[in-house]
Amino acid sequence: MAKVIIIEDDVEIRRLVAEGLADKGYDVDSAASAMEGLEMLVSVRPEVVVLDLGLPDLDGGELLRMVRSISDVPVIVATARDDEDSVVAMLDVGADDYVVKPFSVAQLEARIRAVLRRVGREGHRAPIEVGGLRIDTAAREATLDGEPLDLTPKEFDLLRLLAERAGEVVSKREILAEVWREPYGGSERTVDVHLSWLRKKLGETAQRPRYLHTVHGVGVKLVAPR
Amino acid sequence: MAKVIIIEDDVEIRRLVAEGLADKGYDVDSAASAMEGLEMLVSVRPEVVVLDLGLPDLDGGELLRMVRSISDVPVIVATARDDEDSVVAMLDVGADDYVVKPFSVAQLEARIRAVLRRVGREGHRAPIEVGGLRIDTAAREATLDGEPLDLTPKEFDLLRLLAERAGEVVSKREILAEVWREPYGGSERTVDVHLSWLRKKLGETAQRPRYLHTVHGVGVKLVAPR
DNA sequence: CCCGGTCTTAAGGAGTTCTTGACGTTCCCT
DNA sequence: AGGGAACGTCAAGAACTCCTTAAGACCGGG
């Protein structure tokens, strides 16, 4: 399973987390200091880093920047109490997610899995094509019959999800889980609204669909127009 | 048999349900709090979760969202009294079914079985074919001799159920349980009406059946016409 | 600090789908 | 053949889902 490294100075927490994750099948290494963590990063090449803020030898933000300079590995920050400011700062510098101490191992694992899922999916693949639609996930660009579509982030994610599963009906709940993953969903109405906007940009209406077909009571599916 | 976890703070109910289900052959674990439940979710990896609303440490909706962020495991919500609003909210956030307290173990087990049957079927991604009928469950499309059938949700579910068990007589009560998710209530007349509509769309009548044959006093079966 | 773009939420209205009850027909059993 | 139960169909209203618009919240940049 996935390789994880924990950078955390508190012996107790380190051991707890390391063992907890190991029990769940992760391949875990841990470092007690920033320096040790950096060395481990290059030697172990983990798929996820769990980084404690408040290390004795180096400021967390500084360390995160250094990590980012050598790798794109996802970093989950563990912060003591609900320190909003530092969390925001961390996300700003490139952290992927965070947990607030005290956290359960289960909670941490949930974040790890979410992060892995996310990056796993973003492995740049060939652009998706459905009819005259072309979705370039790497460039984050979409075109319709060669014309570029000006999509907002959510619209793009929504379109990509539906295109990845072209021909398959996707429920709104599923869409919420996939596209709106932070911080745990919203209402299905929101999906409706974004779908409506997407339709407008695709030059179609719900009554006269070309790509986006709603399946009453179930969800939507994207199909190539005939 | 299937692994189930119960998340319920009331000791009495927890014990009752856990023992009741264990008697029926389920592999049951129980948690007394939301946090414990989450940990159990990742450690035990149950096939079904029974979740009590009104836990002391976390709002049910919040917990359900967290569960959903980790896994797609079916969740059956147990709600005190007939709290319509919270039930609707739960289903909206991704609950699969619910029971209203006080509920019997038998009742709960019926729901569990229905849910398991349902998800077990999701694996069947391959379209079903019976004679000139073709039912694509992923795309939620049905065709007859290549011509698309315009079916309502219930009609589609009904046709799929019968097609999955082609040649076998299915009772209306069973249909109600599967398609209408009402193991107890529900009028069989409703099934008749939908069957009638289905027949019309299949281009046949009850008197001159091609696919849908009623077996008087027993139920209906779907067979390929000869 | 304001501004533009984006997202969420609320609400109305339109359209579809479901349920119900009635009534006629068919089937089975005696 | 007759009676009763099960079944088939119709029509109408209830219930539900969906679409769209508009208004405000939020966020980052100028």
Side-chain angles (χ1 to χ4, degrees):
Chain A
M1 239 179 114
K3 271 190 274 191
V4 183
I5 68 175
I6 322 284
I7 309 180
E8 158 73 61
D9 60 316
D10 185 307
V11 191
E12 268 307 307
I13 298 179
R14 197 170 64 233
R15 204 176 48 75
L16 199 76
V17 173
E19 287 184 4
L21 289 178
D23 280 353
K24 318 260 180 201
Y26 290 87
D27 186 355
V28 187
D29 280 301
S30 57
S33 69
M35 282 309 137
E36 195 183 337
L38 280 176
E39 282 171 28
M40 200 168 278
L41 180 64
V42 293
S43 62
V44 172
R45 303 230 158 246
E47 274 136 291
V48 180
V49 173
V50 178
L51 169 61
D52 172 53
L53 293 191
L55 290 171
D57 55 338
L58 199 54
D59 169 65
E62 195 57 32
L63 176 54
L64 183 49
R65 265 187 288 270
M66 293 174 70
V67 169
R68 273 282 162 276
S69 72
I70 45 182
S71 134
D72 287 332
V73 65
V75 173
I76 297 174
V77 167
T79 171
R81 89 191 99 278
D82 206 339
D83 188 343
E84 288 289 345
D85 295 339
S86 71
V87 162
V88 169
M90 286 304 102
L91 293 177
D92 216 40
V93 191
D96 293 82
D97 207 340
Y98 66 93
V99 288
V100 176
K101 292 184 187 177
F103 56 86
S104 69
V105 173
Q107 196 176 84
L108 177 61
E109 202 220 345
R111 305 300 176 99
I112 290 175
R113 294 220 299 163
V115 161
L116 286 176
R117 215 171 37 209
R118 217 173 301 153
V119 301
R121 193 159 291 149
E122 281 170 14
H124 9 86
R125 264 173 291 174
I128 307 163
E129 298 202 16
V130 180
L133 257 182
R134 181 187 169 89
I135 292 130
D136 187 332
T137 60
R140 236 185 138 71
E141 277 170 358
T143 57
L144 174 59
D145 301 327
E147 293 295 310
L149 289 169
D150 183 25
L151 303 180
T152 69
K154 284 280 190 294
E155 284 164 10
F156 183 86
D157 289 342
L158 176 55
L159 182 60
R160 175 176 61 180
L161 171 63
L162 292 173
E164 276 171 349
R165 301 168 62 170
E168 187 181 337
V169 180
V170 184
S171 75
K172 290 177 193 172
R173 238 160 50 198
E174 226 170 322
I175 292 174
L176 275 173
E178 290 290 326
V179 178
W180 272 262
R181 52 173 71 94
E182 302 273 10
Y184 307 126
S187 113
E188 297 191 359
R189 299 290 117 251
T190 305
V191 178
D192 286 335
V193 173
H194 284 263
L195 275 174
S196 175
W197 291 338
L198 203 44
R199 273 197 256 251
K200 185 176 286 181
K201 291 182 181 178
L202 291 178
E204 65 179 59
T205 66
Q207 281 71 34
R208 302 194 131 274
R210 295 201 334 123
Y211 288 93
L212 294 169
H213 294 251
T214 118
V215 180
H216 205 282
V218 186
V220 265
K221 65 179 170 183
L222 189 151
V223 298
R226 31 177 205 83
Chain B
M1 237 179 115
K3 271 191 275 190
V4 183
I5 68 176
I6 322 284
I7 309 180
E8 158 73 61
D9 60 314
D10 185 307
V11 190
E12 270 307 307
I13 298 179
R14 198 170 64 233
R15 205 175 47 76
L16 200 75
V17 173
E19 288 184 3
L21 289 178
D23 281 353
K24 313 253 183 202
Y26 290 88
D27 186 355
V28 187
D29 280 302
S30 59
S33 70
M35 280 308 138
E36 195 183 335
L38 277 178
E39 282 172 26
M40 199 168 279
L41 179 66
V42 292
S43 61
V44 172
R45 306 227 162 246
E47 275 135 290
V48 179
V49 173
V50 179
L51 169 61
D52 172 53
L53 293 191
L55 289 171
D57 56 338
L58 196 56
D59 169 66
E62 194 58 30
L63 176 55
L64 183 48
R65 269 187 283 267
M66 292 175 72
V67 168
R68 272 284 162 274
S69 74
I70 305 175
S71 109
D72 290 331
V73 63
V75 173
I76 297 174
V77 168
T79 171
R81 86 191 104 278
D82 204 338
D83 189 342
E84 287 290 343
D85 293 339
S86 70
V87 163
V88 169
M90 286 305 101
L91 293 177
D92 211 46
V93 190
D96 293 82
D97 208 340
Y98 67 93
V99 288
V100 176
K101 291 183 185 177
F103 56 86
S104 68
V105 173
Q107 197 174 92
L108 177 60
E109 202 220 341
R111 304 300 175 103
I112 291 176
R113 286 203 297 168
V115 161
L116 286 175
R117 254 199 318 262
R118 213 174 304 148
V119 300
R121 222 172 26 214
E122 314 265 310
H124 293 183
R125 284 289 151 182
I128 307 163
E129 298 203 18
V130 180
L133 257 182
R134 180 188 169 88
I135 293 137
D136 186 333
T137 58
R140 219 148 209 286
E141 270 171 1
T143 57
L144 175 59
D145 301 327
E147 291 297 308
L149 291 169
D150 184 25
L151 303 180
T152 70
K154 285 278 193 295
E155 284 163 11
F156 183 88
D157 290 342
L158 177 54
L159 181 60
R160 175 175 61 181
L161 171 65
L162 292 172
E164 276 170 349
R165 302 166 62 168
E168 185 183 337
V169 181
V170 184
S171 76
K172 291 178 191 173
R173 192 118 301 276
E174 216 170 332
I175 292 174
L176 276 173
E178 287 288 325
V179 177
W180 272 260
R181 301 197 185 182
E182 296 191 13
Y184 303 103
S187 148
E188 299 191 357
R189 210 103 324 275
T190 304
V191 178
D192 287 334
V193 173
H194 284 265
L195 275 173
S196 172
W197 291 337
L198 204 44
R199 273 196 256 253
K200 183 177 287 182
K201 291 182 182 178
L202 291 178
E204 65 180 58
T205 66
Q207 283 71 33
R208 301 193 130 274
R210 297 205 327 129
Y211 287 93
L212 294 168
H213 296 252
T214 118
V215 181
H216 200 95
V218 187
V220 265
K221 66 178 172 184
L222 187 151
V223 298
R226 33 178 203 81

